[in-house]
Amino acid sequence: MTTAEQSPALAPLRQARERFLTGRPLPDGVPDDVVAAWRRARFFGVRPDLDGPVRESAQPADSPLLEAARPALTRIAPALDAGRTALVLTDERLRVLWSTGSAPGDDTCADLSEREVGHNSAALALRTRRRAEVHGPEHFLDVWQDVSAVSVPLFSPETGQVLGTLTVARALWAGCRPHPGAALAEAAAAAVEAELRARARTADRALLDAYERAARGRERAVVALDGRNRLISEAAAGLASPQVLEALERGARARGRDTGESYDVPLPEDAGESYDAPVPEDVGESYDFPLPENAGCTAEITPVRHEGRVLGLVAVLAARPVEPEPSTPGPGGALVGGSVAWRHAVARATELFRTPGPVLVTGERGTGKTALALELLDGTDPLLLDAAESPELDLKELPSAGDRGRADDRPLLLRHAERLSQQDVAALNSLLEERPDARLVATHTPGTSPGPCLQRLLDTLAARSVTLPALRERPEDIRELLPALTPGPAPGSPPLTWTLDALRALEQHPWPGNVTELAHLVRALAGRRRVFGPVRRGELPDPVREGPAGRTLSPMELAERSAILEALRRHGGNKARAATALGIGRATLYRKLREYQGRDVPNGPRP
């Protein structure tokens, strides 16, 4: 007879567990949280007869928690009843970092997460952020049926986040709660957290001293970072954009390596690549850190070392001289954009421009029809005619592919074909019948219903047409467009940057004027700003800052929304898998969810 069977308090729970495992109805009185834990273990596929986890958990190569906890735990270990009690330290992912002593079933488990071993006190303490006890048949595994365990979470003294857990396990305690090892677990956790606080104070002092040495006596732009703290001088506040600080912050979080190895500092996602800046062999030696080209400044890095480890860095910033870029007609960013819709349109236009014959570029106003045409016609010096400026162009002849090589070999770029007079439309139709290989590029903005002549022209060019998507259909391209649309800064001034909140507002705006409207906004901001730092949401015009007004979804949008929610439900909320199942990109899925979030949806929850 086991200890569990001898305990009257646990006998009903043991019987309930056996009924649960055999699929029979549970009796009344079983705690809801215990039943929920058993169901999670069954959902995760944990086998109750498992002697340990299905796979070994990868142990962290260098754990600051273990370094801080080891001295305290080593002092406590001799006081344990080594044959009946185990002391176990885990990290925030419940990977076992250190253990001593012995208790039933504790020698095979390197991972105490519920996904691996089911219900246990460490997982419960991590979830509830307080001391937790699990006794005998409350566990899911057979091997722990005669074990009582108590776990205490370990908190970061700086952030309050749970860093891991400390568990005391022993043979089943017949008296159930409170666990006899609870006081030991609490005392051990207090000792570990005291060591963490002492180490944090020493490290903070080292960082502050390094910052003061770098900034003393001069008005220097200095930033000191260690992954938790951030010290910024007044001069640095005007140079360091959030993107620069994030690049330095990631560098501060990188672990120090031995002399001669690289100091891996991943840059922001929009930087395009990561850099490996070499760590100098001399402890006090500085080195230049390559920031993104649009950062507007350079950084000289000095690693801050403490007890043989790199705990942070001090960066001295300097403004990067910027030569004003030559002005170009029309809004920039003709080929900028990584969205699927835009890449498809550009690829289609490029293919058409490479073959003889007329091309029709259509799209809403401001989508960049003329800019794209000029970009693809670069080097050919096209003859530009604008029907919006003069509806009667008196078109007499068109250049053709056979005219290549002549001195007057210039393609015709006709803007605003919808504004042509009926006489010129008729002339174009006749000329295209005679010269089907004519070197003509026409832009067209759909609007009012075209007349018979214009419709005939559009039908003629339909086979060689490309439609540019509206900016609201490719909001993910806005972050790429902003640098291309921003005028070059004055010498010594940083380029225009944006806070995340401002970027979200730009991406949510419908942009009825498309890229042209965005370009006007960017130029207006660049021209009137008299402050440094990134553009904040409050600086944007009211319609952009406040966001689009909500509206009721159409039947098609409701059907699309339902399909997205169903895919998310099937894949447990995993957006990447849901997007793959729907056959759309993850960025498109995120955009759809953002659009539906702020609109009225009758008779249904919002995503």
Side-chain angles (χ1 to χ4, degrees):
M1 181 176 291
T2 66
T3 310
E5 291 172 333
Q6 294 173 354
S7 173
L10 294 177
L13 194 59
R14 181 179 180 83
Q15 295 172 3
R17 176 179 176 274
E18 292 176 353
R19 295 178 67 89
F20 177 83
L21 294 178
T22 55
R24 291 178 291 171
L26 297 180
D28 295 334
V30 183
D32 292 339
D33 57 339
V34 174
V35 176
W38 291 346
R39 287 174 176 167
R40 286 196 300 272
R42 184 168 61 186
F43 175 79
F44 292 143
V46 179
R47 291 170 45 198
D49 59 348
L50 189 67
D51 290 335
V54 175
R55 57 184 178 276
E56 286 291 323
S57 177
Q59 300 299 316
D62 184 15
S63 170
L65 174 61
L66 179 57
E67 291 182 11
R70 194 191 300 274
L73 298 181
T74 303
R75 293 194 301 268
I76 295 172
L80 297 174
D81 183 355
R84 300 181 56 194
T85 306
L87 182 62
V88 181
L89 173 72
T90 75
D91 63 7
E92 76 283 357
R93 292 169 55 185
L94 295 175
R95 297 174 297 183
V96 175
L97 301 177
W98 181 94
S99 64
T100 188
S102 177
D106 74 307
D107 57 341
T108 57
C109 296
D111 189 327
L112 299 183
S113 65
E114 284 193 340
R115 289 180 176 271
E116 297 292 343
V117 297
H119 190 42
N120 64 88
S121 60
L124 184 58
L126 188 71
R127 186 170 66 252
T128 61
R129 295 174 61 89
R130 62 176 181 267
R131 191 183 80 190
E133 299 181 18
V134 176
H135 298 268
E138 293 177 343
H139 292 100
F140 190 75
L141 293 186
D142 294 341
V143 73
W144 286 343
Q145 293 305 293
D146 292 334
V147 175
S148 285
V150 57
S151 297
V152 178
L154 298 169
F155 296 99
S156 166
E158 294 90 10
T159 65
Q161 294 179 337
V162 178
L163 300 177
T165 66
L166 199 59
T167 300
V168 175
R170 52 159 291 164
L172 187 62
W173 174 245
C176 295
R177 295 171 177 83
H179 191 285
L184 176 61
E186 294 278 8
V192 173
E193 290 178 350
E195 182 66 22
L196 288 171
R197 283 192 295 272
R199 289 175 177 246
R201 284 194 296 268
T202 306
D204 291 346
R205 184 70 252 177
L207 183 72
L208 180 59
D209 290 344
Y211 170 78
E212 291 178 345
R213 285 196 301 270
R216 183 182 300 149
R218 288 178 287 177
E219 292 295 328
R220 303 180 73 188
V222 178
V223 178
L225 302 158
D226 65 358
R228 304 184 313 273
N229 304 297
R230 181 184 290 181
L231 305 174
I232 306 175
S233 69
E234 184 176 353
L239 283 177
S241 66
Q243 291 78 12
V244 170
L245 292 177
E246 180 61 23
L248 297 175
E249 192 78 58
R250 295 183 184 183
R253 295 193 190 104
R255 300 191 182 280
R257 299 187 176 97
D258 294 336
T259 300
E261 293 188 6
S262 62
Y263 187 60
D264 189 18
V265 186
L267 294 175
E269 294 180 0
D270 58 357
E273 56 181 322
S274 297
Y275 295 86
D276 287 339
V279 177
E281 296 184 3
D282 187 356
V283 170
E285 184 180 348
S286 300
Y287 60 96
D288 292 333
F289 172 55
L291 292 170
E293 287 297 329
N294 62 355
C297 62
T298 59
E300 182 183 356
I301 301 297
T302 301
V304 180
R305 299 178 183 268
H306 175 66
E307 297 181 351
R309 298 179 61 232
V310 175
L311 62 87
L313 57 86
V314 172
V316 179
L317 306 181
R320 176 185 293 160
V322 179
E323 298 181 1
E325 298 179 1
S327 59
T328 55
L335 299 179
V336 173
S339 64
V340 174
W342 181 250
R343 292 202 310 267
H344 180 271
V346 171
R348 167 68 174 167
T350 303
E351 179 185 0
L352 292 174
F353 275 72
R354 286 175 178 171
T355 57
V359 178
L360 175 66
V361 183
T362 183
E364 296 181 7
R365 63 183 178 91
T367 49
K369 300 184 291 293
T370 301
L372 177 64
L374 289 172
E375 185 75 26
L376 295 178
L377 288 172
D378 184 38
T380 61
D381 188 22
L383 175 64
L384 180 62
L385 298 179
D386 194 338
E389 297 177 358
S390 177
E392 296 184 1
L393 300 177
D394 193 22
L395 296 172
K396 297 295 186 182
E397 61 181 30
L398 294 174
S400 67
D403 297 329
R404 295 181 186 273
R406 288 173 36 184
D408 60 347
D409 177 22
R410 300 170 63 190
L412 173 62
L413 174 55
L414 174 62
R415 300 184 63 202
H416 300 110
E418 70 281 356
R419 301 283 191 91
L420 285 172
S421 66
Q422 186 172 353
Q423 179 181 354
D424 279 328
V425 173
L428 268 180
N429 285 325
S430 299
L431 289 170
L432 288 175
E433 288 181 358
E434 298 174 2
R435 310 282 292 277
D437 60 346
R439 302 186 65 199
L440 165 70
V441 179
T443 69
H444 173 257
T445 303
T448 59
S449 178
C453 285
L454 180 57
Q455 185 61 58
R456 179 185 170 192
L457 176 64
L458 298 178
D459 292 342
T460 301
L461 300 176
R464 293 183 55 81
S465 67
V466 58
T467 301
L468 301 190
L471 187 55
R472 64 179 175 276
E473 297 172 1
R474 54 184 188 113
E476 58 268 39
D477 291 342
I478 288 180
R479 300 194 185 197
E480 296 183 50
L481 283 167
L482 289 174
L485 300 176
T486 304
S493 299
L496 203 63
T497 57
W498 310 77
T499 64
L500 289 177
D501 197 29
L503 288 173
R504 292 190 188 99
L506 294 175
E507 290 171 345
Q508 292 170 358
H509 187 62
W511 299 109
N514 294 292
V515 179
T516 300
E517 182 184 357
L518 177 62
H520 287 320
L521 182 147
V522 171
R523 290 173 182 172
L525 279 173
R528 70 168 183 261
R529 291 192 90 222
R530 297 295 181 267
V531 296
F532 290 102
V535 177
R536 292 174 171 79
R537 189 185 188 113
E539 300 179 60
L540 301 177
D542 290 346
V544 181
R545 180 175 64 248
E546 296 170 359
R551 63 174 177 81
T552 302
L553 296 178
S554 68
M556 182 173 294
E557 289 172 324
L558 283 173
E560 182 180 60
R561 175 183 175 277
S562 298
I564 291 175
L565 292 180
E566 176 61 22
L568 287 171
R569 185 192 64 77
R570 288 199 313 270
H571 294 280
N574 189 305
K575 296 183 176 64
R577 294 178 181 174
T580 301
L582 292 168
I584 61 177
R586 186 163 52 178
T588 302
L589 178 65
Y590 280 110
R591 175 171 58 84
K592 296 283 187 185
L593 290 175
R594 285 198 304 269
E595 291 175 356
Y596 297 149
Q597 186 78 29
R599 297 181 180 175
D600 298 331
V601 182
N603 302 325
R606 290 180 177 178

